[in-house]
Amino acid sequence: MHEVSLVRELNRLVEQEAAVRHFSKVERVHVSLGAHACVSETSLRFAFESLRVGIMAEAELDVRMVQAKGVCHACGARAVMVERISQCAACGGVMLPQGGDEMRITELEVI
Amino acid sequence: MCGTCGCGHTENHHEHDHAHEHHQHGHDTEKRRISVELDLLDRNRTFAAENRAWFDKHRIFVLNVVSSPGSGKTTLLAAMIRAQADKYEVSVIEGDQQTTLDAERIAEAGARVHQINTGNMCHLDAHMVGHALEHLQPTDDSVLVIENVGNLICPAAFDLGEHLRVALISVTEGEEKPLKYPDMFAGSQAVIINKCDLLPHLNFDMAQCRDNIHRINPDAAIFELSATSGEGVCDWLQWLASARAKQHKGKQVQGAA
């Protein structure tokens, strides 16, 4: 549900960037989302399509999901965490996510 | 660096020579793809850091209490306020979508309170908390409790500048809740299992619930209590007092399984 406030922030950041980088229209926004960012891609897309305004009014959204890496709480082994709740392949310990909560705009296609 | 042409500039994009392979029209109508590094949570992080710096300057210990709606956050807070009245001042920021009902219950318990109505927002953010502080003006050396909007998903993403995040679940919600909403439990240093006075009437597997919490957050300190009967509240308050003392000594608060 907080996808709405994220899209408002996205609009704000892109407007700011437009003033600095001199563009007047955004055709596509590329967003990178961590697997544990507490964001649903579907909801983000819905919020984006409902709330895009100004220079973003006709923009498309491109979402790239980023896998989270994890470290074992018991033995320190590192691995990609496919599931949010997972055990260490080496010792069965609890895997703790390292990052994976990012929500970043990485690229803009602009005019 | 400029993402379009690698010119090293972040602004004044028009100044360099663009004679190469361009059409008749200028840069303004040129389609281009630019690299940016814009973090959607950066603004919240900045506000959260400002809040935290202010809390530390005034030695105010701050909790962010999160749970589903109806887990008993306000009842627990009222119990804490009554129990701690002679030890330290407690003030409260109440987050709810609508109404001041919770704020009224907190005020009745004897704490200063400021209500934030989030309207269509599902969480509190650090900016709202910063403005609430202007109204509430918590005193030096006090404890501030931020009662977040009842929601186990969205508040997980928003640092408010707190020292401790406390997740609350009630035994009526079932022992699987931590597995269903892992992010909230992963980010909480303490988990309170509330409404334990109802256990005789329920099929709630406490050992399984504790195990589920530790499967997500092995370091979480877990407290079983009933905010209504008061049972177990003392242990929680003792732990909280030691966490507060550690914070004031500049140590990171850690859970104590």
Side-chain angles (χ1 to χ4, degrees):
Chain A
M1 243 166 89
H2 62 293
E3 285 80 0
V4 169
S5 41
L6 292 174
V7 168
R8 287 200 184 116
E9 179 65 4
L10 185 147
N11 276 330
R12 197 186 67 84
L13 288 170
V14 172
E15 291 279 356
Q16 269 184 1
E17 196 70 7
V20 177
R21 306 276 286 263
H22 306 290
F23 54 83
S24 53
K25 189 177 176 209
V26 180
E27 295 206 321
R28 188 173 287 272
V29 182
H30 296 262
V31 171
S32 172
L33 270 190
H36 303 155
C38 313
V39 170
S40 139
E41 182 180 343
T42 314
S43 305
L44 186 70
R45 216 168 263 292
F46 180 77
F48 183 81
E49 284 163 14
S50 310
L51 295 170
R52 55 192 164 184
V53 289
I55 58 168
M56 301 270 289
E58 292 168 40
E60 299 290 325
L61 183 67
D62 185 274
V63 177
R64 191 173 68 95
M65 296 301 291
V66 183
Q67 276 190 320
K69 296 190 176 82
V71 59
C72 173
H73 179 257
C75 75
R78 288 171 190 280
V80 169
M81 281 178 75
V82 180
E83 299 291 335
R84 175 63 185 80
I85 301 169
S86 46
Q87 292 182 318
C88 173
C91 77
V94 175
M95 293 298 289
L96 300 178
Q98 302 286 296
D101 54 354
E102 66 264 35
M103 315 178 200
R104 286 196 319 265
I105 309 169
T106 54
E107 280 185 296
L108 297 171
E109 292 176 39
V110 301
I111 296 175
Chain B
M1 189 169 88
C2 169
T4 315
C5 49
C7 66
H9 288 220
T10 53
E11 41 192 73
N12 299 331
H13 207 91
H14 293 251
E15 286 176 8
H16 53 238
D17 179 16
H18 264 97
H20 53 90
E21 64 181 2
H22 274 207
H23 319 292
Q24 285 79 1
H25 51 85
H27 213 154
D28 277 342
T29 52
E30 198 74 28
K31 198 183 272 195
R32 55 200 164 113
R33 186 164 171 151
I34 58 176
S35 293
V36 291
E37 195 60 43
L38 303 172
D39 193 319
L40 294 178
L41 287 178
D42 239 9
R43 190 157 175 260
N44 188 69
R45 268 189 220 107
T46 305
F47 284 120
E50 280 175 19
N51 290 349
R52 193 170 280 118
W54 191 85
F55 295 142
D56 290 342
K57 185 178 166 199
H58 294 274
R59 296 178 309 284
I60 298 168
F61 186 54
V62 183
L63 311 184
N64 177 9
V65 182
V66 293
S67 82
S68 315
S71 297
K73 292 186 295 295
T74 312
T75 309
L76 177 67
L77 268 177
M80 284 168 62
I81 292 160
R82 292 196 174 99
Q84 298 302 104
D86 55 339
K87 298 196 181 82
Y88 46 77
E89 189 177 324
V90 180
S91 57
V92 176
I93 294 173
E94 274 289 339
D96 278 304
Q97 204 183 6
Q98 295 291 340
T99 80
T100 55
L101 294 169
D102 282 356
E104 289 159 21
R105 286 172 65 195
I106 295 297
E108 263 173 42
R112 288 197 301 132
V113 58
H114 180 75
Q115 176 85 47
I116 302 176
N117 279 140
T118 55
N120 63 359
M121 297 267 279
C122 46
H123 61 274
L124 293 178
D125 65 33
H127 184 233
M128 295 180 207
V129 168
H131 280 301
L133 291 172
E134 292 166 11
H135 294 279
L136 189 63
Q137 299 193 328
T139 52
D140 289 8
D141 295 300
S142 65
V143 171
L144 170 67
V145 186
I146 304 167
E147 186 182 330
N148 218 313
V149 180
N151 176 341
L152 274 180
I153 305 172
C154 310
F158 294 87
D159 181 8
L160 304 179
E162 74 270 16
H163 299 109
L164 271 187
R165 184 183 289 174
V166 182
L168 192 69
I169 53 171
S170 62
V171 292
T172 52
E173 295 170 55
E175 60 274 349
E176 290 166 346
K177 202 107 193 199
L179 301 182
K180 293 175 180 169
Y181 301 94
D183 293 312
M184 195 60 91
F185 291 91
S188 298
Q189 289 77 21
V191 178
I192 291 173
I193 304 173
N194 189 26
K195 305 191 188 179
C196 285
D197 54 313
L198 298 178
L199 280 172
H201 310 286
L202 301 167
N203 258 336
F204 181 84
D205 187 336
M206 184 62 81
Q208 185 66 56
C209 184
R210 296 181 70 102
D211 187 54
N212 288 344
I213 294 165
H214 282 154
R215 275 177 69 191
I216 296 154
N217 183 349
D219 293 323
I222 302 176
F223 299 90
E224 300 168 20
L225 57 82
S226 164
T228 307
S229 76
E231 192 186 344
V233 173
C234 200
D235 286 349
W236 155 241
L237 290 176
Q238 271 177 11
W239 183 86
L240 195 60
S242 79
R244 179 173 175 241
K246 277 183 201 163
Q247 180 65 41
H248 287 334
K249 283 181 195 157
K251 290 181 190 163
Q252 191 76 32
V253 178
Q254 296 263 316

